[in-house]
Amino acid sequence: MITDPWFYAAAIPAILLVGMAKGGFGGPIALLGVPLISLVVSPVQAAGIMLPILCAMDVVGLLAYRGTFDRGSLAILLPAAAVGIAVGWLAAAYVTDAHVRLLVGVVAVAFTLDYWLGGARKLMPAEPNRAKGSLWGAVAGFTSFVSHAGGPPFQMYILPLRLAPRLLAGTAVIFFAVVNQLKLVPYYMLGQFTGQNLATSAVLLPLAALATAFGVYLVKRVDVAVFYRVTYMCVFVVGVKLIYDGATRLAGF
């Protein structure tokens, strides 16, 4: 188990943010988990520590949102995500975390700027689209595998549908619960589940459950308009952060 107090100074806020997002509130802020923990350990180790915690959070979310999900969206997104995970596994030795962060960040910022500048168009719910859903589902699976950064690509497809907050949150919970389960075997085969990582994950699990439950609580009580404003703002802020992280790492800073 990791005993460095600086690790927990970074990990505890990370778990709180990720837990709230996994509970359905401000979903994209979950992306901040690995970068925060990566301030004190390597991104690879941070991802290995986070995956068991994410799986535990998924259980809380599934219980809270059982029966609340958009079946059509999942039918489009999940098969594509499985393909994206497989590609991520095959490309694990060649694609760096910095490249993924830069790519996801650019897409997230462009997406939110388009939404904010779209005027009345943003008020009209989009129709389900298999081609778009398959594209973003595959990207979400790939980026989730590489750095647990599947949130923005998932949001690219799901937010324009303008689902009710609980329906959107429940759909996201099921999507990422399946994605995280699919990642377990590849992560194990890549050697990310060391004894130290698993012991550290176990220490953080109780906090993860509480944070997820708090996110569920917020979704039930926040106005729909506020919910979407917060979510889009989170997508933008996280996108800027990812662009900065990716660009500075590629530049060698």
Side-chain angles (χ1 to χ4, degrees), residues 33-104:
V34 170
L36 279 174
I37 298 176
S38 297
L39 294 173
V40 286
V41 298
S42 73
V44 173
Q45 186 176 16
I49 291 170
M50 280 300 300
L51 184 54
I53 295 172
L54 292 174
C55 290
M57 290 175 174
D58 290 334
V59 173
V60 177
L62 289 170
L63 290 173
Y65 292 106
R66 57 188 179 278
T68 305
F69 58 90
D70 184 25
R71 188 180 302 274
S73 293
L74 291 176
I76 294 172
L77 291 164
L78 283 174
V83 173
I85 291 169
V87 172
W89 186 5
L90 293 173
Y94 308 102
V95 179
T96 69
D97 180 71
H99 288 104
V100 173
R101 290 183 184 281
L102 184 60
L103 172 63
V104 174

Side-chain angles (χ1 to χ4, degrees), residues 173-184:
V173 165
I174 292 179
F175 176 80
F176 285 106
V178 174
V179 165
N180 288 333
Q181 290 297 313
L182 291 175
K183 286 153 55 176
L184 287 172

Side-chain angles (χ1 to χ4, degrees), residues 9 13 18 39-40 44 47 58-59 83 85 93 97 121 140 144 158 172 200 218 226 233 236 240:
V18 173
L39 294 173
V40 286
V44 173
D58 290 334
V59 173
V83 173
I85 291 169
D97 180 71
R121 175 169 53 85
S144 180
I158 207 74
T200 304
L218 289 175
V226 174
M233 180 58 71
F236 180 78
V240 171

Side-chain angles (χ1 to χ4, degrees), residues 213-236:
F214 184 58
V216 173
Y217 171 86
L218 289 175
V219 170
K220 292 179 179 178
R221 285 158 179 81
V222 174
D223 177 75
V224 173
V226 174
F227 174 87
Y228 272 93
R229 281 199 296 270
V230 169
T231 302
Y232 275 101
M233 180 58 71
C234 288
V235 173
F236 180 78

